[in-house]
Short mmCIF file of all heavy atoms in Angstrom, two decimals:
data_model
loop_
_atom_site.label_atom_id
_atom_site.label_comp_id
_atom_site.label_asym_id
_atom_site.label_seq_id
_atom_site.Cartn_x
_atom_site.Cartn_y
_atom_site.Cartn_z
N MET A 218 6.29 5.54 -9.56
CA MET A 218 5.17 6.47 -9.55
C MET A 218 5.69 7.85 -9.94
O MET A 218 6.76 8.26 -9.50
CB MET A 218 4.51 6.49 -8.18
CG MET A 218 3.31 7.40 -8.13
SD MET A 218 2.47 7.36 -6.54
CE MET A 218 1.48 5.91 -6.73
N HIS A 219 4.93 8.55 -10.72
CA HIS A 219 5.32 9.91 -11.13
C HIS A 219 5.12 10.90 -10.01
O HIS A 219 4.37 10.66 -9.08
CB HIS A 219 4.48 10.34 -12.34
CG HIS A 219 4.65 9.45 -13.52
ND1 HIS A 219 5.78 9.39 -14.26
CD2 HIS A 219 3.81 8.54 -14.10
CE1 HIS A 219 5.65 8.52 -15.21
NE2 HIS A 219 4.46 7.97 -15.14
N LYS A 220 5.83 12.02 -10.10
CA LYS A 220 5.75 13.06 -9.05
C LYS A 220 4.30 13.53 -8.85
O LYS A 220 3.87 13.75 -7.73
CB LYS A 220 6.63 14.25 -9.40
CG LYS A 220 8.10 13.95 -9.37
CD LYS A 220 8.57 13.80 -7.95
CE LYS A 220 10.06 13.56 -7.93
NZ LYS A 220 10.57 13.30 -6.62
N LYS A 221 3.56 13.67 -9.95
CA LYS A 221 2.16 14.13 -9.85
C LYS A 221 1.33 13.10 -9.08
O LYS A 221 0.54 13.47 -8.20
CB LYS A 221 1.57 14.34 -11.24
CG LYS A 221 0.16 14.87 -11.20
CD LYS A 221 -0.40 15.10 -12.59
CE LYS A 221 -1.85 15.56 -12.52
NZ LYS A 221 -2.43 15.72 -13.85
N GLY A 222 1.53 11.82 -9.37
CA GLY A 222 0.81 10.76 -8.66
C GLY A 222 1.18 10.73 -7.19
O GLY A 222 0.31 10.50 -6.33
N GLU A 223 2.45 10.93 -6.89
CA GLU A 223 2.90 10.95 -5.50
C GLU A 223 2.26 12.11 -4.75
O GLU A 223 1.83 11.95 -3.60
CB GLU A 223 4.41 11.06 -5.43
CG GLU A 223 5.12 9.81 -5.88
CD GLU A 223 6.63 9.96 -5.86
OE1 GLU A 223 7.13 11.01 -5.41
OE2 GLU A 223 7.33 9.04 -6.31
N LYS A 224 2.18 13.28 -5.39
CA LYS A 224 1.58 14.44 -4.74
C LYS A 224 0.09 14.20 -4.51
O LYS A 224 -0.42 14.51 -3.42
CB LYS A 224 1.78 15.69 -5.59
CG LYS A 224 1.20 16.92 -4.92
CD LYS A 224 1.48 18.18 -5.69
CE LYS A 224 0.94 19.43 -5.07
NZ LYS A 224 -0.06 19.37 -4.08
N GLU A 225 -0.59 13.64 -5.48
CA GLU A 225 -2.03 13.36 -5.32
C GLU A 225 -2.26 12.37 -4.19
O GLU A 225 -3.18 12.54 -3.39
CB GLU A 225 -2.61 12.84 -6.63
CG GLU A 225 -2.71 13.88 -7.72
CD GLU A 225 -3.15 13.29 -9.05
OE1 GLU A 225 -3.32 12.06 -9.14
OE2 GLU A 225 -3.31 14.08 -10.00
N LEU A 226 -1.42 11.35 -4.11
CA LEU A 226 -1.54 10.36 -3.03
C LEU A 226 -1.26 10.99 -1.67
O LEU A 226 -1.98 10.73 -0.70
CB LEU A 226 -0.61 9.20 -3.29
CG LEU A 226 -0.79 7.96 -2.46
CD1 LEU A 226 -2.20 7.40 -2.58
CD2 LEU A 226 0.21 6.88 -2.84
N ALA A 227 -0.24 11.83 -1.61
CA ALA A 227 0.08 12.52 -0.35
C ALA A 227 -1.08 13.43 0.06
O ALA A 227 -1.44 13.48 1.25
CB ALA A 227 1.37 13.31 -0.51
N ASP A 228 -1.68 14.13 -0.90
CA ASP A 228 -2.80 15.00 -0.59
C ASP A 228 -3.99 14.18 -0.07
O ASP A 228 -4.69 14.59 0.85
CB ASP A 228 -3.23 15.80 -1.83
CG ASP A 228 -2.23 16.87 -2.22
OD1 ASP A 228 -1.37 17.22 -1.36
OD2 ASP A 228 -2.28 17.35 -3.36
N LEU A 229 -4.22 13.03 -0.70
CA LEU A 229 -5.31 12.16 -0.26
C LEU A 229 -5.10 11.70 1.18
O LEU A 229 -6.03 11.72 1.99
CB LEU A 229 -5.41 10.95 -1.20
CG LEU A 229 -6.47 9.93 -0.85
CD1 LEU A 229 -7.88 10.50 -0.98
CD2 LEU A 229 -6.33 8.70 -1.74
N PHE A 230 -3.87 11.30 1.50
CA PHE A 230 -3.58 10.87 2.87
C PHE A 230 -3.72 12.02 3.85
O PHE A 230 -4.22 11.84 4.97
CB PHE A 230 -2.18 10.27 2.97
CG PHE A 230 -2.10 8.83 2.53
CD1 PHE A 230 -1.44 8.47 1.38
CD2 PHE A 230 -2.72 7.84 3.28
CE1 PHE A 230 -1.39 7.15 0.99
CE2 PHE A 230 -2.67 6.51 2.91
CZ PHE A 230 -1.97 6.16 1.75
N ASP A 231 -3.31 13.21 3.46
CA ASP A 231 -3.45 14.38 4.33
C ASP A 231 -4.93 14.66 4.61
O ASP A 231 -5.31 14.93 5.76
CB ASP A 231 -2.79 15.60 3.71
CG ASP A 231 -1.29 15.51 3.73
OD1 ASP A 231 -0.73 14.69 4.50
OD2 ASP A 231 -0.65 16.27 2.95
N ARG A 232 -5.76 14.64 3.57
CA ARG A 232 -7.20 14.88 3.77
C ARG A 232 -7.81 13.81 4.66
O ARG A 232 -8.65 14.09 5.51
CB ARG A 232 -7.92 14.94 2.42
CG ARG A 232 -7.68 16.23 1.65
CD ARG A 232 -8.64 16.40 0.51
NE ARG A 232 -8.71 15.27 -0.39
CZ ARG A 232 -7.94 15.07 -1.45
NH1 ARG A 232 -6.98 15.95 -1.75
NH2 ARG A 232 -8.09 14.01 -2.20
N ALA A 233 -7.41 12.57 4.47
CA ALA A 233 -7.92 11.46 5.29
C ALA A 233 -7.52 11.63 6.76
O ALA A 233 -8.31 11.37 7.66
CB ALA A 233 -7.46 10.14 4.75
N ALA A 234 -6.28 12.09 6.99
CA ALA A 234 -5.80 12.27 8.36
C ALA A 234 -6.56 13.37 9.06
O ALA A 234 -6.79 13.32 10.27
CB ALA A 234 -4.32 12.57 8.36
N GLU A 235 -6.97 14.40 8.32
CA GLU A 235 -7.69 15.53 8.90
C GLU A 235 -9.20 15.26 9.05
O GLU A 235 -9.88 15.97 9.80
CB GLU A 235 -7.49 16.76 8.02
CG GLU A 235 -6.06 17.25 8.00
CD GLU A 235 -5.82 18.30 6.94
OE1 GLU A 235 -6.77 18.64 6.19
OE2 GLU A 235 -4.67 18.79 6.84
N SER A 236 -9.69 14.23 8.42
CA SER A 236 -11.11 13.91 8.46
C SER A 236 -11.52 13.27 9.76
O SER A 236 -10.75 12.55 10.41
CB SER A 236 -11.45 12.96 7.31
OG SER A 236 -12.80 12.54 7.39
N ASP A 237 -12.76 13.52 10.17
CA ASP A 237 -13.30 12.89 11.37
C ASP A 237 -14.08 11.62 11.04
O ASP A 237 -14.58 10.94 11.95
CB ASP A 237 -14.24 13.86 12.10
CG ASP A 237 -13.47 15.02 12.72
OD1 ASP A 237 -12.27 14.84 13.04
OD2 ASP A 237 -14.06 16.09 12.90
N ASP A 238 -14.19 11.30 9.75
CA ASP A 238 -14.90 10.09 9.34
C ASP A 238 -14.15 8.86 9.82
O ASP A 238 -12.92 8.80 9.73
CB ASP A 238 -15.04 10.02 7.82
CG ASP A 238 -15.93 11.15 7.27
OD1 ASP A 238 -16.74 11.68 8.04
OD2 ASP A 238 -15.78 11.49 6.08
N PRO A 239 -14.87 7.84 10.33
CA PRO A 239 -14.18 6.63 10.79
C PRO A 239 -13.61 5.86 9.59
O PRO A 239 -14.18 5.88 8.49
CB PRO A 239 -15.28 5.84 11.48
CG PRO A 239 -16.56 6.34 10.88
CD PRO A 239 -16.30 7.79 10.50
N VAL A 240 -12.49 5.18 9.81
CA VAL A 240 -11.89 4.37 8.77
C VAL A 240 -12.59 3.01 8.77
O VAL A 240 -12.67 2.36 9.83
CB VAL A 240 -10.40 4.19 9.04
CG1 VAL A 240 -9.77 3.26 8.02
CG2 VAL A 240 -9.69 5.53 9.06
N PRO A 241 -13.13 2.59 7.63
CA PRO A 241 -13.83 1.28 7.62
C PRO A 241 -12.79 0.15 7.79
O PRO A 241 -11.66 0.26 7.30
CB PRO A 241 -14.46 1.21 6.23
CG PRO A 241 -13.69 2.17 5.41
CD PRO A 241 -13.19 3.23 6.33
N PRO A 242 -13.16 -0.89 8.49
CA PRO A 242 -12.22 -1.98 8.69
C PRO A 242 -12.02 -2.77 7.39
O PRO A 242 -12.91 -2.81 6.53
CB PRO A 242 -12.91 -2.85 9.75
CG PRO A 242 -14.35 -2.55 9.59
CD PRO A 242 -14.44 -1.11 9.16
N ALA A 243 -10.88 -3.38 7.24
CA ALA A 243 -10.60 -4.22 6.09
C ALA A 243 -11.40 -5.51 6.22
O ALA A 243 -11.67 -5.98 7.32
CB ALA A 243 -9.12 -4.54 6.00
N PRO A 244 -11.79 -6.11 5.10
CA PRO A 244 -12.50 -7.40 5.17
C PRO A 244 -11.61 -8.46 5.83
O PRO A 244 -10.36 -8.35 5.79
CB PRO A 244 -12.74 -7.76 3.69
CG PRO A 244 -12.64 -6.47 2.96
CD PRO A 244 -11.67 -5.62 3.72
N ASP A 245 -12.24 -9.44 6.43
CA ASP A 245 -11.49 -10.54 7.06
C ASP A 245 -10.58 -11.20 6.04
O ASP A 245 -10.95 -11.40 4.88
CB ASP A 245 -12.45 -11.59 7.65
CG ASP A 245 -13.23 -11.06 8.83
OD1 ASP A 245 -12.77 -10.08 9.45
OD2 ASP A 245 -14.30 -11.63 9.13
N ASN A 246 -9.36 -11.51 6.47
CA ASN A 246 -8.37 -12.22 5.63
C ASN A 246 -7.97 -11.45 4.39
O ASN A 246 -7.50 -12.04 3.43
CB ASN A 246 -8.86 -13.61 5.27
CG ASN A 246 -9.08 -14.49 6.48
OD1 ASN A 246 -8.30 -14.43 7.45
ND2 ASN A 246 -10.13 -15.28 6.47
N GLU A 247 -8.16 -10.14 4.35
CA GLU A 247 -7.82 -9.35 3.17
C GLU A 247 -6.31 -9.45 2.85
O GLU A 247 -5.93 -9.65 1.70
CB GLU A 247 -8.21 -7.89 3.36
CG GLU A 247 -7.91 -7.02 2.18
CD GLU A 247 -8.82 -7.27 0.99
OE1 GLU A 247 -9.81 -7.97 1.11
OE2 GLU A 247 -8.51 -6.73 -0.08
N PHE A 248 -5.47 -9.32 3.85
CA PHE A 248 -4.02 -9.38 3.64
C PHE A 248 -3.63 -10.75 3.11
O PHE A 248 -2.84 -10.85 2.14
CB PHE A 248 -3.30 -9.06 4.95
CG PHE A 248 -1.82 -8.95 4.79
CD1 PHE A 248 -1.24 -7.90 4.12
CD2 PHE A 248 -0.98 -9.91 5.34
CE1 PHE A 248 0.14 -7.79 3.97
CE2 PHE A 248 0.39 -9.82 5.23
CZ PHE A 248 0.95 -8.77 4.53
N GLN A 249 -4.15 -11.81 3.68
CA GLN A 249 -3.82 -13.15 3.25
C GLN A 249 -4.32 -13.39 1.81
O GLN A 249 -3.63 -14.04 1.01
CB GLN A 249 -4.46 -14.20 4.19
CG GLN A 249 -3.83 -14.25 5.54
CD GLN A 249 -4.36 -13.17 6.49
OE1 GLN A 249 -5.22 -12.37 6.16
NE2 GLN A 249 -3.82 -13.13 7.71
N THR A 250 -5.47 -12.83 1.44
CA THR A 250 -5.99 -12.96 0.09
C THR A 250 -5.08 -12.30 -0.90
O THR A 250 -4.79 -12.83 -1.98
CB THR A 250 -7.41 -12.36 0.01
OG1 THR A 250 -8.25 -12.99 0.97
CG2 THR A 250 -8.00 -12.52 -1.37
N ILE A 251 -4.59 -11.10 -0.55
CA ILE A 251 -3.68 -10.36 -1.43
C ILE A 251 -2.38 -11.14 -1.61
O ILE A 251 -1.87 -11.29 -2.72
CB ILE A 251 -3.42 -8.95 -0.89
CG1 ILE A 251 -4.70 -8.12 -0.99
CG2 ILE A 251 -2.28 -8.27 -1.65
CD1 ILE A 251 -4.64 -6.79 -0.24
N LEU A 252 -1.82 -11.64 -0.51
CA LEU A 252 -0.57 -12.40 -0.60
C LEU A 252 -0.76 -13.66 -1.44
O LEU A 252 0.11 -14.05 -2.22
CB LEU A 252 -0.06 -12.76 0.79
CG LEU A 252 0.56 -11.60 1.59
CD1 LEU A 252 0.98 -12.09 2.98
CD2 LEU A 252 1.74 -11.00 0.85
N ALA A 253 -1.90 -14.35 -1.29
CA ALA A 253 -2.16 -15.56 -2.07
C ALA A 253 -2.25 -15.22 -3.57
O ALA A 253 -1.74 -15.95 -4.41
CB ALA A 253 -3.44 -16.23 -1.59
N GLU A 254 -2.89 -14.11 -3.89
CA GLU A 254 -3.00 -13.70 -5.31
C GLU A 254 -1.62 -13.32 -5.86
O GLU A 254 -1.28 -13.65 -6.99
CB GLU A 254 -3.97 -12.52 -5.44
CG GLU A 254 -4.18 -12.06 -6.86
CD GLU A 254 -4.80 -13.08 -7.78
OE1 GLU A 254 -5.44 -14.03 -7.30
OE2 GLU A 254 -4.67 -12.90 -9.01
N MET A 255 -0.81 -12.64 -5.05
CA MET A 255 0.54 -12.29 -5.49
C MET A 255 1.36 -13.56 -5.75
O MET A 255 2.07 -13.65 -6.74
CB MET A 255 1.24 -11.43 -4.44
CG MET A 255 0.70 -10.01 -4.37
SD MET A 255 1.44 -9.03 -3.03
CE MET A 255 3.12 -8.92 -3.56
N LYS A 256 1.22 -14.54 -4.86
CA LYS A 256 1.94 -15.79 -5.04
C LYS A 256 1.47 -16.51 -6.29
O LYS A 256 2.28 -17.03 -7.06
CB LYS A 256 1.75 -16.68 -3.81
CG LYS A 256 2.55 -17.95 -3.83
CD LYS A 256 2.41 -18.72 -2.54
CE LYS A 256 3.26 -19.96 -2.57
NZ LYS A 256 3.17 -20.69 -1.32
N ARG A 257 0.17 -16.51 -6.55
CA ARG A 257 -0.40 -17.16 -7.73
C ARG A 257 0.14 -16.51 -9.02
O ARG A 257 0.44 -17.20 -9.99
CB ARG A 257 -1.93 -17.05 -7.72
CG ARG A 257 -2.61 -17.81 -8.83
CD ARG A 257 -4.12 -17.59 -8.83
NE ARG A 257 -4.50 -16.27 -9.30
CZ ARG A 257 -4.53 -15.88 -10.60
NH1 ARG A 257 -4.17 -16.71 -11.53
NH2 ARG A 257 -4.91 -14.67 -10.92
N ARG A 258 0.33 -15.21 -8.98
CA ARG A 258 0.84 -14.47 -10.15
C ARG A 258 2.38 -14.47 -10.22
O ARG A 258 2.93 -13.93 -11.16
CB ARG A 258 0.35 -13.03 -10.11
CG ARG A 258 -1.13 -12.91 -10.28
CD ARG A 258 -1.54 -11.47 -10.32
NE ARG A 258 -2.97 -11.32 -10.36
CZ ARG A 258 -3.58 -10.21 -10.72
NH1 ARG A 258 -2.89 -9.14 -11.02
NH2 ARG A 258 -4.91 -10.15 -10.73
N GLY A 259 3.03 -15.00 -9.20
CA GLY A 259 4.49 -15.02 -9.20
C GLY A 259 5.12 -13.70 -8.83
O GLY A 259 6.23 -13.41 -9.22
N ILE A 260 4.41 -12.88 -8.06
CA ILE A 260 4.91 -11.58 -7.64
C ILE A 260 5.54 -11.72 -6.26
O ILE A 260 4.89 -12.17 -5.34
CB ILE A 260 3.78 -10.53 -7.62
CG1 ILE A 260 3.14 -10.39 -9.00
CG2 ILE A 260 4.30 -9.20 -7.10
CD1 ILE A 260 1.86 -9.55 -8.99
N GLU A 261 6.81 -11.30 -6.16
CA GLU A 261 7.51 -11.33 -4.88
C GLU A 261 7.22 -10.05 -4.09
O GLU A 261 7.38 -8.96 -4.63
CB GLU A 261 9.00 -11.43 -5.11
CG GLU A 261 9.48 -12.82 -5.45
CD GLU A 261 9.48 -13.74 -4.25
OE1 GLU A 261 9.81 -13.28 -3.13
OE2 GLU A 261 9.12 -14.90 -4.45
N PRO A 262 6.79 -10.17 -2.84
CA PRO A 262 6.65 -8.96 -2.01
C PRO A 262 8.01 -8.30 -1.85
O PRO A 262 8.98 -8.97 -1.55
CB PRO A 262 6.11 -9.46 -0.68
CG PRO A 262 5.71 -10.85 -0.89
CD PRO A 262 6.41 -11.35 -2.10
N ARG A 263 8.10 -6.97 -2.06
CA ARG A 263 9.39 -6.28 -2.01
C ARG A 263 9.52 -5.37 -0.80
O ARG A 263 10.55 -4.75 -0.63
CB ARG A 263 9.58 -5.44 -3.26
CG ARG A 263 9.61 -6.26 -4.51
CD ARG A 263 9.92 -5.42 -5.72
NE ARG A 263 9.23 -4.16 -5.69
CZ ARG A 263 9.45 -3.17 -6.53
NH1 ARG A 263 10.31 -3.30 -7.50
NH2 ARG A 263 8.79 -2.04 -6.42
N ILE A 264 8.56 -5.29 0.03
CA ILE A 264 8.57 -4.32 1.12
C ILE A 264 9.78 -4.48 2.02
O ILE A 264 10.42 -3.48 2.39
CB ILE A 264 7.26 -4.31 1.93
CG1 ILE A 264 7.23 -3.14 2.90
CG2 ILE A 264 7.08 -5.61 2.68
CD1 ILE A 264 7.07 -1.80 2.25
N ARG A 265 10.16 -5.68 2.37
CA ARG A 265 11.32 -5.87 3.24
C ARG A 265 12.59 -5.38 2.57
O ARG A 265 13.41 -4.73 3.16
CB ARG A 265 11.45 -7.34 3.63
CG ARG A 265 10.35 -7.77 4.58
CD ARG A 265 10.55 -9.17 5.05
NE ARG A 265 9.42 -9.55 5.85
CZ ARG A 265 8.91 -10.76 5.91
NH1 ARG A 265 9.44 -11.74 5.23
NH2 ARG A 265 7.88 -11.02 6.68
N LYS A 266 12.75 -5.70 1.29
CA LYS A 266 13.92 -5.23 0.55
C LYS A 266 13.94 -3.69 0.48
O LYS A 266 14.97 -3.09 0.67
CB LYS A 266 13.90 -5.82 -0.87
CG LYS A 266 15.07 -5.41 -1.71
CD LYS A 266 14.97 -6.01 -3.09
CE LYS A 266 16.10 -5.54 -3.98
NZ LYS A 266 15.98 -5.96 -5.35
N GLU A 267 12.81 -3.10 0.20
CA GLU A 267 12.75 -1.66 0.10
C GLU A 267 13.05 -0.99 1.42
O GLU A 267 13.74 0.02 1.47
CB GLU A 267 11.36 -1.21 -0.41
CG GLU A 267 11.13 -1.59 -1.85
CD GLU A 267 9.69 -1.40 -2.28
OE1 GLU A 267 8.86 -0.99 -1.44
OE2 GLU A 267 9.41 -1.62 -3.47
N LEU A 268 12.58 -1.57 2.53
CA LEU A 268 12.88 -1.00 3.83
C LEU A 268 14.36 -1.09 4.16
O LEU A 268 14.94 -0.17 4.72
CB LEU A 268 12.05 -1.71 4.92
CG LEU A 268 10.56 -1.37 4.94
CD1 LEU A 268 9.85 -2.25 5.95
CD2 LEU A 268 10.35 0.09 5.27
N LYS A 269 15.00 -2.20 3.81
CA LYS A 269 16.42 -2.36 4.07
C LYS A 269 17.22 -1.35 3.28
O LYS A 269 18.22 -0.84 3.73
CB LYS A 269 16.86 -3.78 3.71
CG LYS A 269 16.39 -4.82 4.71
CD LYS A 269 16.85 -6.20 4.29
CE LYS A 269 16.32 -7.26 5.22
NZ LYS A 269 16.67 -8.60 4.79
N GLU A 270 16.83 -1.05 2.03
CA GLU A 270 17.57 -0.13 1.18
C GLU A 270 17.49 1.29 1.70
O GLU A 270 18.40 2.08 1.48
CB GLU A 270 17.05 -0.19 -0.24
CG GLU A 270 17.40 -1.48 -0.95
CD GLU A 270 16.76 -1.59 -2.32
OE1 GLU A 270 16.04 -0.66 -2.74
OE2 GLU A 270 16.99 -2.61 -2.98
N LYS A 271 16.42 1.66 2.41
CA LYS A 271 16.23 3.04 2.89
C LYS A 271 17.02 3.36 4.14
O LYS A 271 17.15 4.49 4.52
CB LYS A 271 14.75 3.32 3.12
CG LYS A 271 13.97 3.40 1.84
CD LYS A 271 12.54 3.81 2.08
CE LYS A 271 11.79 3.93 0.77
NZ LYS A 271 10.46 4.44 0.97
N LYS A 272 17.58 2.34 4.79
CA LYS A 272 18.32 2.57 6.04
C LYS A 272 19.60 3.33 5.80
O LYS A 272 20.19 3.38 4.81
CB LYS A 272 18.62 1.26 6.73
CG LYS A 272 17.40 0.66 7.34
CD LYS A 272 17.77 -0.61 8.08
CE LYS A 272 16.53 -1.19 8.73
NZ LYS A 272 16.82 -2.41 9.44
#
């Protein structure tokens, strides 16, 4: 992600954190649906690897 995109995303998260609007819940089984689609496309989840590298 480019620096500009990272800044925009950080600003978005900051505004959301300061907002009093309730966060809508995720649809049922949303995480499982995403993982199934990633598996179908042959995409390996990298979050565990990325977390290990940051230690």
